[in-house]
Amino acid sequence: METVAENKCFGGVQGVYSHASKATGCDMTFGLFLPEEARDGPVPVLWYLSGLTCTHENAMVKAGAQGWAAEQGIALVFPDTSPRGEGVADDDGYDLGQGAGFYVNATQDPWKPHFQMWDYVAEELPALVTSEFAIDAERQAITGHSMGGHGALTLAMGRKGQYRSVSAFSPICHPTASDWGRKQLKAYLGTDEAAWARHDAALMMRDVGFDGPMLVDTGTSDQFIDLLKPEALAEAANARRQEATLRLQKGYDHSYFFVSSFMEDHIAFHAEALYA
Amino acid sequence: METVAENKCFGGVQGVYSHASKATGCDMTFGLFLPEEARDGPVPVLWYLSGLTCTHENAMVKAGAQGWAAEQGIALVFPDTSPRGEGVADDDGYDLGQGAGFYVNATQDPWKPHFQMWDYVAEELPALVTSEFAIDAERQAITGHSMGGHGALTLAMGRKGQYRSVSAFSPICHPTASDWGRKQLKAYLGTDEAAWARHDAALMMRDVGFDGPMLVDTGTSDQFIDLLKPEALAEAANARRQEATLRLQKGYDHSYFFVSSFMEDHIAFHAEALYA
C-alpha cells in the first residue's frame, strides 16, 4: 500500500492511498478519513460509495463529511467507483466501464477480469483498511450517492451482518427497471435477468430486507428522479415493514449541494447504530 | 446578470451568476450562497476571496462554508480571482495573470485594461449583489485563503468602514518581501515599490490597522509558510495593539482540508461582528 497524500483535517487525517488489488487486478486508489480518536484504538467506520463518473476524490472534497465524522469519532472510507487503467476495459459512455462499476462482480467479457467491485468493496478493501489502520471491523456502516446509494443499499442487504446501518443520498433504487441499470446489468451480468435481482434495492427489499435501520434522502427536484425510482423502494420497504426513514427533501436536486446539506443527519444516524 | 446555476443547499440557494463587468471590462462569474432568511429581507454578507489558480468555484464546493452560513443566516459571495477570457492578458506562470489577480488595480500594461480586481471586489460586485439580492450593504465582512487572505486583509484595512470584521486562512501576509508578491506587484503596479505598500497586509497593519476584530489561521505544516510570512503580520499587529486573534494550527497544511476544518470558527467569528 502506498500513501498518495495525507492532510490534517478536523483534528484527524484525510489520507489517499493506493494498492494493488487482487479483486480487480489493477491498482486501486481510495480516500480514508481517520478521526483523532483512531490514535487511541480502533474506531467504527462508515463506507461512502460514490456515483457515476466519480473517483475516490469527489465526496472526499465536496460532501463535507469529515467534520461530522470527526465529531462522532468515525472513520470514513471513499473507494473508487471502478477499476481503472490502460489494461482495463472501458466504454465511450459515461455510464458504463471506468467510473461506472455499479458495485457488481461482472461475469461477462470484456468486464469480467477487472470489474469485481462487489468483492472489492465488501471484502478486499475492508480487510486492508482494518489491518492497516485503527478501524474496527465489527462496527461498519455504509452510505452512498446515486449509483453509490444503489451500491450501499444492495451491499447492506446482500451482505447480512456486515453493516449495522445503511443510508443513501438519491440512490438508484430499482435499476432493473431503469436506464440507469438495465444497460449496465446486462453488460456486466449478461442477459439472464435473474442474476440482476440481487443488485436491485427494491427487489432485495422484497426478498431479504435489511436487519437494522435505514435512512434514504432524495430531492423532490432531483433531475434524475425518474431514473432513481424512490417509489419502488418505498413501496417495498413499507410492504416489508422494514425499519426505515425514507425522506423526500423539497426543492433539492441531485448535486453535492444536496448531499452536503444532509450529511450531518446521515452521520448522526450511523453513529447511533455504530455506538449502540 | 445571467443565472448560470442555482442549487438548493442547506435550506438556501447556492447560485452561480455571470455579468458584464465595467471594472474589469469582461464577463465575470461569481458564486453566491443566500440563506433561507434572505426571503424575509436583507441578510449580512461574508466575502470569500480565493487563492492562486482558483475560480469562483473552488471554495464554493470545497470549503464547507454554506452549512455554517445557513446556521448564522449570512450570505456568502465567492468572486473569481481575476478577469478571464480570450481578450484578457495572461502569463504562462500559474502565479501571474488569469487566476492570479492579487486583488489590485493594475497600472501597468498589458494588465491595466482588465486587472482591476480591487475595484471589482470592493465596489462593483458589492453594488451588484446588494441591488440584485437581499443583501445588506451595511453589514459586510471579508475572509479569504492564501492570495485571497492577502486580498481580504488589505481590502479590510484599505477600505475603512466597509467591513465589520476580517479573517483569513493561510494568508500571504507580506508580499513585498515574498516570491508570492514581488513578481506580481511589479508586473501589475510597476517598479516603484511605494505603490506596493497598500497591498501588503503587514505594512498596512503598521500604517493604518483595522478598526474591528481580526482572525487569522495558518497551519504549522503549511508547505508555503515561508512565502506567507505570518510572523510579519503578527509582529505588526502586536506592535500596533490591533484587536486580533492570530493562530498557528498544529500539523495543518495549505489545503482546503485545513480551510474547512476551521470554517465554523471563522463564520461564527464574523457572525458576532455582523449581528453586533
Side-chain angles (χ1 to χ4, degrees):
Chain A
M1 201 186 68
E2 191 190 326
T3 301
V4 177
E6 288 186 331
N7 300 85
K8 189 163 177 182
C9 183
F10 287 97
V13 177
Q14 177 59 60
V16 177
Y17 309 93
S18 73
H19 68 113
S21 163
K22 203 168 164 181
T24 66
C26 64
D27 285 349
M28 295 292 290
T29 302
F30 64 95
L32 167 66
F33 172 73
L34 269 188
E36 199 169 7
E37 289 80 355
R39 289 185 205 158
D40 304 322
V43 296
V45 60
L46 174 61
W47 294 83
Y48 183 102
L49 306 185
S50 286
L52 287 167
T53 76
C54 291
T55 68
H56 67 282
E57 198 182 14
N58 300 62
M60 202 180 95
V61 301
K62 297 199 295 186
Q66 292 93 344
W68 306 117
E71 194 170 300
Q72 302 281 3
I74 292 173
L76 301 168
V77 186
F78 305 97
D80 202 345
T81 56
S82 78
R84 293 182 195 272
E86 277 192 24
V88 175
D90 203 2
D91 184 271
D92 286 342
Y94 75 96
D95 58 354
L96 189 68
Q98 297 187 33
F102 256 78
Y103 306 101
V104 302
N105 292 333
T107 57
Q108 307 296 308
D109 285 326
W111 313 108
K112 190 177 170 187
H114 299 286
F115 284 73
Q116 302 293 321
M117 288 300 291
W118 177 278
D119 282 354
Y120 176 70
V121 169
E123 293 182 3
E124 186 179 18
L125 195 51
L128 180 72
V129 299
T130 56
S131 79
E132 295 286 327
F133 300 97
I135 290 176
D136 182 357
E138 301 302 313
R139 288 184 291 166
Q140 299 185 55
I142 193 163
T143 187
H145 174 233
S146 194
M147 175 184 76
H150 145 77
L153 291 167
T154 53
L155 281 157
M157 290 188 273
R159 302 271 309 182
K160 284 273 173 205
Q162 181 160 351
Y163 308 101
R164 293 200 186 178
S165 48
V166 61
S167 78
F169 301 88
S170 25
I172 301 174
C173 293
H174 195 19
T176 62
S178 170
D179 286 343
W180 272 358
R182 293 191 62 81
K183 170 183 174 180
Q184 296 84 357
L185 295 173
K186 184 175 170 190
Y188 298 140
L189 304 177
T191 50
D192 179 5
E193 296 193 22
W196 302 5
R198 69 193 192 92
H199 297 289
D200 181 302
L203 297 181
M204 285 291 278
M205 178 56 74
R206 246 170 230 300
D207 192 28
V208 296
F210 177 66
D211 184 22
M214 173 178 289
L215 170 64
V216 179
D217 275 315
T218 305
T220 62
S221 299
D222 191 310
Q223 60 270 48
F224 303 113
I225 201 163
D226 290 342
L227 294 164
L228 305 177
K229 304 190 186 300
E231 63 279 8
L233 180 63
E235 206 275 335
N238 280 276
R240 191 182 186 80
R241 314 320 189 211
Q242 166 72 42
E243 173 186 0
T245 301
L246 309 172
R247 306 189 299 193
L248 290 164
Q249 301 286 5
K250 184 177 176 184
Y252 286 90
D253 58 32
H254 200 70
S255 70
Y256 267 90
F257 295 116
F258 164 59
V259 173
S260 61
S261 295
F262 295 96
M263 186 54 75
E264 180 182 10
D265 281 8
H266 282 243
I267 291 186
F269 161 79
H270 289 293
E272 202 168 314
L274 291 167
Y275 287 111
Chain B
M1 202 185 68
E2 191 189 327
T3 300
V4 177
E6 288 186 331
N7 300 86
K8 190 164 178 181
C9 183
F10 287 98
V13 176
Q14 177 60 58
V16 176
Y17 309 93
S18 74
H19 67 114
S21 163
K22 203 168 163 181
T24 67
C26 64
D27 284 348
M28 297 292 291
T29 302
F30 64 94
L32 167 67
F33 173 73
L34 269 189
E36 198 170 6
E37 288 80 355
R39 289 184 206 158
D40 304 323
V43 296
V45 60
L46 174 61
W47 293 84
Y48 184 101
L49 306 185
S50 285
L52 288 166
T53 76
C54 290
T55 69
H56 67 282
E57 198 182 12
N58 300 62
M60 202 181 94
V61 301
K62 297 200 296 188
Q66 292 93 344
W68 306 118
E71 194 170 300
Q72 302 283 2
I74 293 173
L76 301 168
V77 186
F78 305 97
D80 202 345
T81 57
S82 77
R84 294 182 193 271
E86 277 191 25
V88 175
D90 203 2
D91 184 271
D92 286 342
Y94 76 97
D95 57 354
L96 189 67
Q98 297 187 31
F102 257 77
Y103 305 101
V104 302
N105 291 333
T107 57
Q108 308 296 307
D109 285 326
W111 312 108
K112 191 177 170 186
H114 298 287
F115 284 74
Q116 303 293 320
M117 288 300 291
W118 178 278
D119 282 353
Y120 176 69
V121 168
E123 294 182 2
E124 186 179 17
L125 195 50
L128 180 72
V129 299
T130 56
S131 79
E132 295 286 327
F133 301 97
I135 290 177
D136 182 357
E138 300 304 312
R139 288 184 292 166
Q140 299 185 54
I142 193 164
T143 186
H145 173 234
S146 195
M147 175 183 76
H150 145 78
L153 292 166
T154 52
L155 281 157
M157 290 188 274
R159 301 272 308 182
K160 286 273 174 204
Q162 181 161 351
Y163 308 101
R164 292 200 187 179
S165 48
V166 62
S167 79
F169 301 87
S170 25
I172 302 173
C173 294
H174 195 20
T176 62
S178 170
D179 286 343
W180 272 358
R182 293 191 62 80
K183 170 184 173 179
Q184 296 83 357
L185 295 173
K186 186 175 169 192
Y188 297 139
L189 304 177
T191 51
D192 179 5
E193 296 194 21
W196 303 4
R198 70 193 191 94
H199 296 288
D200 182 302
L203 298 181
M204 285 292 278
M205 178 56 73
R206 247 172 229 300
D207 192 28
V208 296
F210 177 66
D211 184 22
M214 173 179 289
L215 170 64
V216 179
D217 275 315
T218 306
T220 63
S221 298
D222 192 310
Q223 59 272 47
F224 302 113
I225 200 163
D226 291 343
L227 294 164
L228 305 177
K229 303 190 187 300
E231 63 279 7
L233 179 64
E235 207 274 334
N238 280 275
R240 189 182 188 82
R241 313 323 189 208
Q242 166 72 43
E243 173 187 359
T245 301
L246 310 172
R247 307 190 297 193
L248 290 163
Q249 300 287 6
K250 185 177 176 186
Y252 287 90
D253 58 31
H254 200 69
S255 69
Y256 266 90
F257 295 117
F258 164 59
V259 173
S260 60
S261 295
F262 295 97
M263 186 54 75
E264 181 181 10
D265 283 7
H266 282 243
I267 291 184
F269 161 81
H270 289 293
E272 202 168 314
L274 290 168
Y275 288 111

